[in-house]
Amino acid sequence: MIKKILLLLTIITLIGCNASKPVIVTTKKAPSKTNSEVVRTSKRTNSKSATANKSTASKTIKRNTKNSQTEVIVSTSKTIVTNDVIKLYVYQFKEIAMANMKQYGIPASIILAQGILESGAGRGDLATRSNNHFGIKCHAGWTGESVNHDDDAAQECFRKYDSPAESFQDHALFLTSRSRYAKLFEYTKGDYKAWARGLRAAGYATDPKYPDKLISYIDRYNLHQYDSKVLDINYVLSEDHLVEELTLESRNIGNALASYVVQKGDTLYSISKKFELKVEDLKQKNNLTDNTLSIGQRLVVN
């Protein structure tokens, strides 16, 4: 009887042990499910972050694109340029303008503004064909080279120079040697608005908006700062402007490498082949109306 009771207790104990095992297994599997959920949550978070970063980058690119604006310059020719081209022009010729202001008394801001307007920031037809940056016609007594160009009348005679620097020099001599511009030198050297109006009144240009155009360039591109430098009116170069000038310098080097000086025997066709361009594209880049080239002429080929 006692043996039967012990056997019954042993069987009950074994059954109880087997019944507890599934609980243990279930407890171990629960953390595994939690870990899986954590991983998936982390991936979704990273995906959202990447999407946000792309969106921010896209907005930045759009803002940077808007910073580069295009404008049309109309004087002796119609030229389409970006504001970066105008800034590069100012950077390239500001030292010459300031030197001429010191020597001849013409505000550097006026020199640069006239250069931008008359030459299309160096990209206009007269500038590329003849280095004429101020739209100065031959006039009586001119013995140098010349080119014909449509302006107030068809095929008028314009002065041709060996370099832009020679054009800047002749501009200074042109204003200082003619009596009709004498009143300009009675104005304060830093009064660029009086100079802009005085040039129009003296007959430098026939366009009634000529003074407003010059003043607009001076104000928009802060050209009067170069008058202040020459006159030493507490001018301090800001860090932002210094960074901009260094950036423009590097661009200017690239711009110089992207141009070509016409040599003897060159034609538009031979130059286009050399730089893998179409003739029409080359003409458009340089605002050329025909296939005429001159030795020493600088062409944009970028």
Side-chain angles (χ1 to χ4, degrees):
M1 183 67 180
I2 295 174
K3 288 181 180 181
K4 287 182 180 180
I5 293 172
L6 289 174
L7 179 60
L8 182 61
L9 289 174
T10 301
I11 292 171
I12 293 171
T13 302
L14 290 174
I15 292 171
C17 290
N18 290 334
S20 63
K21 285 181 181 180
V23 177
I24 296 172
V25 172
T26 303
T27 304
K28 287 181 179 179
K29 287 182 179 179
S32 175
K33 185 177 180 181
T34 304
N35 290 339
S36 176
E37 289 176 352
V38 170
V39 171
R40 285 197 295 271
T41 303
S42 175
K43 286 182 179 179
R44 284 196 296 269
T45 304
N46 291 339
S47 176
K48 289 180 180 179
S49 176
T51 303
N53 289 339
K54 286 181 182 179
S55 177
T56 303
S58 176
K59 290 179 181 178
T60 302
I61 291 170
K62 288 180 180 178
R63 283 197 295 269
N64 290 340
T65 302
K66 289 181 180 179
N67 287 338
S68 182
Q69 299 175 350
T70 300
E71 66 176 275
V72 179
I73 299 177
V74 181
S75 55
T76 53
S77 63
K78 181 179 179 180
T79 312
I80 302 174
V81 298
T82 62
N83 53 7
D84 279 347
V85 169
I86 295 176
K87 290 177 182 178
L88 284 169
Y89 183 87
V90 172
Y91 180 82
Q92 186 174 3
F93 295 110
K94 63 180 182 177
E95 296 297 334
I96 295 177
M98 288 190 287
N100 282 3
M101 180 176 179
K102 290 178 182 178
Q103 184 173 355
Y104 299 103
I106 306 166
S109 59
I110 287 292
I111 296 171
L112 290 169
Q114 280 196 284
I116 292 169
L117 178 57
E118 298 287 353
S119 76
R123 298 293 180 92
D125 186 49
L126 274 178
T128 55
R129 287 178 59 204
S130 58
N131 289 313
N132 190 330
H133 282 236
F134 295 92
I136 299 179
K137 298 178 182 179
C138 293
H139 297 289
W142 174 250
T143 57
E145 291 187 77
S146 64
V147 295
N148 292 326
H149 180 75
D150 292 344
D151 192 43
D152 295 327
Q155 294 299 288
E156 291 189 85
C157 182
F158 283 85
R159 300 183 182 189
K160 181 180 179 181
Y161 307 99
D162 291 333
S163 67
E166 187 179 323
S167 177
F168 274 75
Q169 174 73 8
D170 192 46
H171 171 258
L173 295 175
F174 185 81
L175 293 182
T176 55
S177 63
R178 283 167 168 71
S179 58
R180 64 176 176 169
Y181 298 114
K183 188 175 181 180
L184 293 173
F185 296 89
E186 297 176 7
Y187 301 137
T188 303
K189 289 182 180 179
D191 191 354
Y192 62 87
K193 292 183 179 179
W195 272 80
R197 298 184 184 107
L199 281 167
R200 167 72 175 83
Y204 192 98
T206 57
D207 183 0
K209 295 182 179 180
Y210 193 78
D212 295 333
K213 291 178 180 179
L214 295 182
I215 292 169
S216 174
Y217 285 124
I218 293 171
D219 290 342
R220 281 190 288 145
Y221 294 97
N222 195 24
L223 302 183
H224 49 80
Q225 65 177 298
Y226 303 115
D227 299 339
S228 300
K229 288 187 75 171
V230 174
L231 298 172
D232 194 25
I233 306 177
N234 300 319
Y235 176 76
V236 179
L237 187 67
S238 69
E239 288 187 11
D240 289 342
H241 187 70
L242 180 60
V243 170
E244 182 181 28
E245 285 198 342
L246 291 173
T247 303
L248 289 174
E249 181 177 12
S250 64
R251 288 181 183 175
N252 196 42
I253 293 171
N255 191 52
L257 293 174
S259 63
Y260 175 76
V261 177
V262 176
Q263 308 295 317
K264 185 176 180 179
D266 280 338
T267 64
L268 279 176
Y269 179 79
S270 66
I271 296 171
S272 67
K273 287 298 181 183
K274 183 178 293 187
F275 293 97
E276 299 181 350
L277 293 169
K278 294 181 180 178
V279 172
E280 288 305 316
D281 290 342
L282 187 59
K283 289 174 69 174
Q284 185 176 5
K285 286 176 181 290
N286 293 278
N287 299 299
L288 301 179
T289 56
D290 55 34
N291 295 337
T292 304
L293 294 176
S294 56
I295 297 174
Q297 180 178 349
R298 185 176 292 277
L299 298 177
V300 177
V301 294
N302 61 328

